[in-house]
């Protein structure tokens, strides 16, 4: 199959553009704060930050409607914020407190919100892929036109269960969008060291699944590709694959010294391709927003994040009886 | 306001580290994301990024300092043009980290080591009212009827698995279901256990009630990650928000002459997992009543069937809606001399042995657990307190067996009632051989049960 890369961009209003800026910035500031709380020992264990990848989830959420579902890996904070979950509840889960989405029993990697149709937060690389197809199966079975966004990494894309799922998703025309967040690394292994496939989305062709590569540092390009995928799924045409090219600025998790790439590589991405900076420039150049307006947004977001951090420190640890609850329904 | 920059924790276990190198000096302006220092942990050298923007007002810890405790102030960040505050003056500091692993966080499991002063009173009510009309059915038919009845009552219930639809089931358990319910609800899958188990779990998250058939449980090993990590743990990890109502069912244990990879009992494996329920019926009535309960249960249920039992006939109550509750053992035979506890096909040997022993005047009480988790330990304890002797019988491997667990419960809660050591009969500690004579040796036998009972009764 010929290489295909979408260059389409969504036409959006200034208001929409401003909202993407806001949503991306919220994720960035939230994650920076999470990193800070980790450094202070308030967050423990594994903590995988989404800094750098914000445009992926914000662009795709812009195409979702009520009832659409989403599921992802452990690198899940951004997805939760983007689908409207409360930053306080997310941060308090990171600190393992009663006010967290899972009452402190799930942690960074395992959070859920039935209300927002967010189905986790999964710690086993690749496991969310058939789970996401199963969610899509439930919508098709019920006869509605909802779709499921199933996010996974470039590393996860090498798991066997992904291909078992592609096969069944296509066989049964499941309304699932497979979103490969290709951030170039799976922990310390670059994509090139894990596969000789020139592209990951093209593997869907073996199962008859359409797909495309998308510039994940451009929120408008992501949105445009998302719209196409969503329309395809809603029309009952089966699954769709988006390989979204993105980059994580931080280490794999908080304890990763990231020696497998150069500082220059990271710096280049940050200074030349940063998704938030790009939108900021678009807003200013097009005179869609003033410096002051953007400063105001920055301040609002800082306040939201600080409030979330305060809440996550003040919320008590779960009651000891919680050890024994929620094992069986 | 000046801000203290604190020595960060850079791994789940870091308590202190070496401040190897400063990449900024006093007076430098930093933005969030700039790398300001290198810190060595016991595992690696890590770059430390600034989180706030400002000017490095003062460096408090020199480069090259070892053993810097996490959360020690290492520098002071000030705003452009601001003075570094005097020693001891107020700066904005991060709150002390919450004490991790505090003593008060520890609670003991609610197991009591004290002997139960009184025999527990297990639920011994009959499974169906007296005088109920009965009909003879095979286990196979009973299982099919259970699924069909539940599918008739709820659209959310569907069956998926290899050969379940057009082929009518590899072991014909789903016979006729495709005709009645159609391809939307009786779904043939490709041979892809890991994948379809995950899709089933996802469908359960999405509000359906899947019945996932494994052609045999040996193949569920491909899918065990989804059974345990995805199905069993999600309710807990979501703080009670999201459970997984799903039944994983299929034949389990040894069939006949199919060799090591196709002959294995998973009762003990799955029974270890909090969040799963594990069912292993013996009779057709239990197969039917328990499968209906399993399909209605809001939790993931492992339903272990047995190929050899599929064709056996039992009396099944002819009731409109017959169910058997989980966690209620069934006493097949009352006796005062010894308690034999078993489940699934093990019941065949337990009952045959009891018959033989009765000829010699030894009265065995035979208990069928029916569900391994939750386990009706009350029924076991009450019986052992009466007979003072216990033999457990199962087909799985001996180490870490269900019998081992039962023994520990009896030791903890009825030690003073025991007049002999408990014997756990299990399959032999070997992969299943193919040769007919060796296979026979590998399995537990009626004669072994008889012999074990003689040992514990000293007769
Ligand atoms: C089955 C499994 N194997 C290994 C791991 C350990 N692990 C956690 S994340 C990860 C790398 C995954 O990389 P990728 O899929 O590219 O996602 P990213 O972290 O880049 O978002 C590994 C190997 C795991 N959690 N699960
Ligand atoms: Mg990756």
């Amino acid at each position: 199959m010929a290489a295909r890369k979408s260059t389409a961009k969504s036409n959006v209003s200034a208001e929409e553009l401003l909202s993407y800026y806001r949503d991306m910035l919220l994720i960035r500031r939230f994650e920076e704060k999470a990193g800070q709380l980790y450094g202070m020992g308030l967050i423990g264990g594994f903590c995988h930050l989404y800094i750098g990848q914000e445009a992926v989830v914000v662009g795709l959420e812009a195409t979702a409607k009520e009832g659409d579902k989403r599921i992802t890996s452990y690198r899940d904070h951004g997805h939760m914020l983007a689908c409207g979950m409360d930053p306080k509840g997310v941060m308090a889960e990171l600190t393992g407190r009663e006010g967290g989405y899972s009452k402190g029993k799930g942690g960074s990697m395992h959070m859920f919100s039935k209300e927002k149709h967010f189905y986790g937060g999964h710690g086993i690389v690749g496991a969310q892929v058939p789970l996401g197809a199963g969610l899509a199966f439930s919508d098709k079975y019920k006869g509605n036109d909802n779709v499921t966004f199933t996010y996974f990494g470039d590393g996860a894309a090498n798991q066997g269960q992904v291909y078992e799922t592609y096969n069944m998703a296509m066989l049964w025309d499941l309304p699932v969008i497979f979103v490969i967040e290709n951030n170039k690394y799976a922990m310390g292994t670059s994509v090139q060291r894990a596969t000789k496939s020139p592209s990951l989305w093209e593997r869907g062709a073996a199962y008859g699944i359409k797909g495309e590569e998308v510039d994940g540092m451009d929120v408008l390009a992501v949105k445009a590709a998302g719209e196409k995928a969503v329309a395809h799924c809603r029309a009952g045409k089966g699954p769709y694959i988006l390989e979204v090219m993105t980059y994580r600025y931080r280490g794999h998790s908080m304890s990763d010294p990231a020696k497998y790439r150069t500082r220059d590589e990271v710096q280049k991405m940050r200074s030349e391709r940063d998704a938030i900076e790009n939108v900021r420039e678009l807003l200013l150049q097009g005179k869609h927003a003033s410096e002051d307006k953007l400063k105001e947004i920055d301040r609002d977001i800082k306040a939201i994040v600080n409030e979330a951090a305060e809440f996550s420190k003040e919320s008590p640890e779960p009651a000891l009886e919680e050890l024994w609850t929620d094992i069986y329904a | 306001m000046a801000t203290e920059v604190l020595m960060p924790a850079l791994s789940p276990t870091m308590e202190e580290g070496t401040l190897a190198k400063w990449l900024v000096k006093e007076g430098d302006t930093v933005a969030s994301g700039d790398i300001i220092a290198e810190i060595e942990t016991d595992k690696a050298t890590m770059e430390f990024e600034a989180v706030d923007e400002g000017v490095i007002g003062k460096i408090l810890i020199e480069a090259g300092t070892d053993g810097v405790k996490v959360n020690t102030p290492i520098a002071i960040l000030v705003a452009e043009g601001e003075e570094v505050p005097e020693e001891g003056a107020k700066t904005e500091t991060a709150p002390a980290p919450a004490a991790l692993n505090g003593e008060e966080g520890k609670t003991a499991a609610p197991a009591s080591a004290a002997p139960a002063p009184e025999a527990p009173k297990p639920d011994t009510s009959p499974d169906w009212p007296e005088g109920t009309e009965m009909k003879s059915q095979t286990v196979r038919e009973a299982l099919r009827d259970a699924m069909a009845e539940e599918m008739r009552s709820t659209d959310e219930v569907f069956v998926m698995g290899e050969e379940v639809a057009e082929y009518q089931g590899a072991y014909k358990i789903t016979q006729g279901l495709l005709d009645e319910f159609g391809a939307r609800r009786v779904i043939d899958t490709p041979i892809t256990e890991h994948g379809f188990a995950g899709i089933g779990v996802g469908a359960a998250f999405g509000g359906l009630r899947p019945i996932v058939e494994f052609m045999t449980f040996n193949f569920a090993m491909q899918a065990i990650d989804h059974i345990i990590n995805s199905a069993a743990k999600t309710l807990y990890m979501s703080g009670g928000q999201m459970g997984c109502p799903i039944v994983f069912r299929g034949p389990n244990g040894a069939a006949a002459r199919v060799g090591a990879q196709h002959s294995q009992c998973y009762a003990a494996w799955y029974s270890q997992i909090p969040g799963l329920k594990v069912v292993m019926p013996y009779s057709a009535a239990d197969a039917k009543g328990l499968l209906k309960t399993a399909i209605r249960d809001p939790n993931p249920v492992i339903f272990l069937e047995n190929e050899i039992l599929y064709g056996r006939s039992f009396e099944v109550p002819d009731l409109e809606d017959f169910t058997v509750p989980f966690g209620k053992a069934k006493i097949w035979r009352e006796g005062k001399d010894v308690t034999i506890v078993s489940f699934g096909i093990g019941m065949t040997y337990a009952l045959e042995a009891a018959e033989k022993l009765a000829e010699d005047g030894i009265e065995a009480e035979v208990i069928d657990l029916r569900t391994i988790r939750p386990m009706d330990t009350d029924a076991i304890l009450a019986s052992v307190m009466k007979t003072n002797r216990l033999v457990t019988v199962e087909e799985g491997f001996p180490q870490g067996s269900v019998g081992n667990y039962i023994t520990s419960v009896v030791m903890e809660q009825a030690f003073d009632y025991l007049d002999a050591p408990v014997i756990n009969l299990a399959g032999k500690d070997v992969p299943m051989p193919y040769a007919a004579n060796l296979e026979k040796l590998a399995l537990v036998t009626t004669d072994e049960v008889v012999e074990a009972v003689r040992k514990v009764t000293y007769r």
Side-chain angles (χ1 to χ4, degrees), chain B residues 135-184:
Chain B
K135 62 178 176 195
S136 176
Q137 256 197 329
T138 60
V139 170
R140 174 178 285 116
E141 291 160 341
L143 291 167
R144 191 228 19 237
D145 284 0
M147 285 190 281
E149 285 176 26
E150 293 306 299
M151 288 176 79
R152 271 172 219 136
S153 80
T154 321
D155 183 63
E156 286 164 5
V157 180
F158 70 94
V159 191
M160 74 193 298
E162 292 157 21
E163 311 289 3
V164 297
E166 299 203 356
Y167 194 82
Q168 309 292 322
Y171 296 94
K172 300 287 175 278
I173 308 303
T174 51
Q175 184 127 44
L177 295 184
L178 176 66
D179 282 350
E180 184 175 351
F181 300 102
R184 173 175 166 265

Side-chain angles (χ1 to χ4, degrees), chain B residues 41-81:
Chain B
T41 69
D42 51 348
K43 294 191 199 80
T45 304
M46 306 274 297
E47 290 171 344
F48 178 40
E49 295 179 8
V51 183
D52 294 305
E53 53 205 7
V55 175
I56 301 288
K58 195 170 170 61
I59 283 176
L60 302 171
I61 304 272
E62 290 300 313
T65 312
D66 288 331
V68 183
K69 294 260 183 301
V70 165
N71 274 328
T72 311
I74 55 175
I76 292 178
L77 203 62
V78 294
E80 202 85 44

Side-chain angles (χ1 to χ4, degrees), chain B residues 124 282 329-342 347-369 379 383-384 386-387 446 449 453:
Chain B
T124 51
Y282 163 59
K330 181 183 167 87
I331 299 174
W332 279 79
R333 197 182 167 114
E334 288 189 38
K336 60 172 178 33
D337 298 326
V338 62
T339 301
I340 305 176
V341 175
S342 189
M347 284 298 296
T348 315
Y349 315 118
L351 288 170
E352 276 175 12
E355 199 83 18
K356 279 195 180 170
L357 290 160
E359 287 163 19
D360 292 342
I362 300 173
E363 291 174 35
E365 181 143 302
V366 183
I367 297 178
D368 178 359
L369 284 180
S383 179
V384 169
K386 179 174 78 176
T387 64
T446 300
V449 181
V453 166

Side-chain angles (χ1 to χ4, degrees), chain A residues 154 183 185-186:
Chain A
D154 48 280
N183 59 10
Y185 296 92

Side-chain angles (χ1 to χ4, degrees), chain A residues 102 141-142 164 250 263 328, chain B residues 49 155 192 195 206 237 276:
Chain A
S102 298
Y141 189 91
K142 292 175 197 161
E164 299 192 12
R250 296 293 190 96
R263 205 176 282 171
Y328 293 103
Chain B
E49 295 179 8
D155 183 63
T192 175
M237 295 192 304
L276 288 182

